[in-house]
Amino acid sequence: MTSPGTYRAFISYSHRDKGWADWLHRSLEGYRLPAALVGRETPFGPIPARLAPIFRDRDELSAAPDLSTEVGAALGASMFLVVVCSPAAAASRWVNEEIIAFKRLHGDARVRAIIVAGEPFSGDPATECFPEALRHRFNAAGEITAEPAEPIAADAREQGDGKKFALSKLVAGLTGCRLDELIQREQQRRNARMGALALGLGALVLVLSGLTWDALRQPNAARTAQAEAQFQ
């Protein structure tokens, strides 16, 4: 049985965006927070070392009359909702239903978005990427209102943040850490890894150089010994 906080996030997406959902699920579950940030208190609790588990719906719901029991339970047990936003998602009844269900359970504050195609607030069904429930706030009774919402969104499009920076923005939004500090710590971690790799390669070069020198020296030593034997 699930309980609140079982999942760090629930990924809601149109099945036409399955490739993006697969990438996002894999990236979030495999992400390790920089050690210097782990345990720091935020409005969402201490920053975890890992974001896993992340719930990603794998069922095709087009034939179901309403959200499945499993999906409803997972929404209730998720700290955040991450919506993969595209025109397909904006047109999806089930993505909209998942947003409504989550907001009724948890409110607006823990909804996050990642744009993969289309345009936010375009007003054109052919390009609008935000589902209706994402574009509006909900009141205390869990009812959708006319008040516009401003969802925290990362933009994975090439003309936006790009996948790498969008992932960092989303991680910051799912942990409560500051984006600038997260990026700085990520860079420090990459630099440390590159430094360790450079040291390892340097040591390997020295070992190979020594082996090469020894291999070259042995034939020369043999020839010298043979020449000396001829003059004895």
Side-chain angles (χ1 to χ4, degrees):
M1 177 177 292
T2 56
S3 59
T6 297
Y7 302 107
R8 191 73 185 185
F10 180 112
I11 299 176
S12 179
Y13 66 99
S14 163
H15 284 268
R16 279 188 276 173
D17 295 322
K18 183 179 182 299
W20 280 103
D22 289 343
W23 165 77
L24 183 60
H25 185 255
R26 184 172 60 251
S27 298
L28 290 177
E29 286 226 321
Y31 189 89
R32 292 179 180 272
L33 274 295
L37 300 179
V38 174
R40 181 178 300 179
E41 286 295 332
T42 76
F44 306 118
I47 295 175
R50 303 283 299 268
L51 296 174
I54 304 290
F55 185 91
R56 180 174 68 86
D57 168 31
R58 294 171 176 82
D59 296 329
E60 179 59 62
L61 299 177
S62 59
D66 53 21
L67 292 178
S68 70
T69 301
E70 179 189 8
V71 170
L75 285 166
S78 297
M79 182 178 291
F80 294 93
L81 176 71
V82 177
V83 184
V84 178
C85 296
S86 70
S92 169
R93 170 191 171 190
W94 296 113
V95 172
N96 204 59
E97 289 289 340
E98 287 171 349
I99 298 169
I100 291 172
F102 186 88
K103 285 189 172 185
R104 284 176 174 167
L105 288 166
H106 305 294
D108 295 281
R110 294 190 178 187
V111 178
R112 305 289 181 262
I114 181 167
I115 301 168
V116 300
E119 296 290 338
F121 302 110
S122 74
D124 181 354
T127 60
E128 177 61 58
C129 68
F130 283 170
E132 181 184 10
L134 193 64
R135 301 195 304 267
H136 296 276
R137 291 190 178 278
F138 281 58
N139 60 26
E143 300 167 334
I144 192 168
T145 71
E147 183 182 358
E150 296 180 1
I152 297 175
D155 190 345
R157 299 174 303 170
E158 289 185 5
Q159 69 270 34
D161 299 320
K163 292 174 73 173
K164 183 178 178 180
F165 188 53
L167 182 64
S168 295
K169 288 180 73 171
L170 196 55
V171 169
L174 295 177
T175 58
C177 66
R178 294 202 333 264
L179 176 61
D180 58 345
E181 186 174 11
L182 176 64
I183 291 174
Q184 180 184 17
R185 296 294 185 181
E186 286 177 336
Q187 186 60 51
Q188 290 173 352
R189 182 167 59 184
R190 282 192 292 270
N191 290 343
R193 287 174 178 171
M194 292 299 294
L197 179 60
L199 286 174
L201 289 175
L204 180 61
V205 168
L206 287 175
V207 170
L208 292 176
S209 297
L211 292 174
T212 300
W213 168 252
D214 189 59
L216 292 173
R217 185 180 61 82
Q218 288 183 11
N220 289 335
R223 284 194 293 271
T224 299
Q226 183 179 12
E228 289 176 349
Q230 290 176 350
F231 288 102
Q232 288 177 357

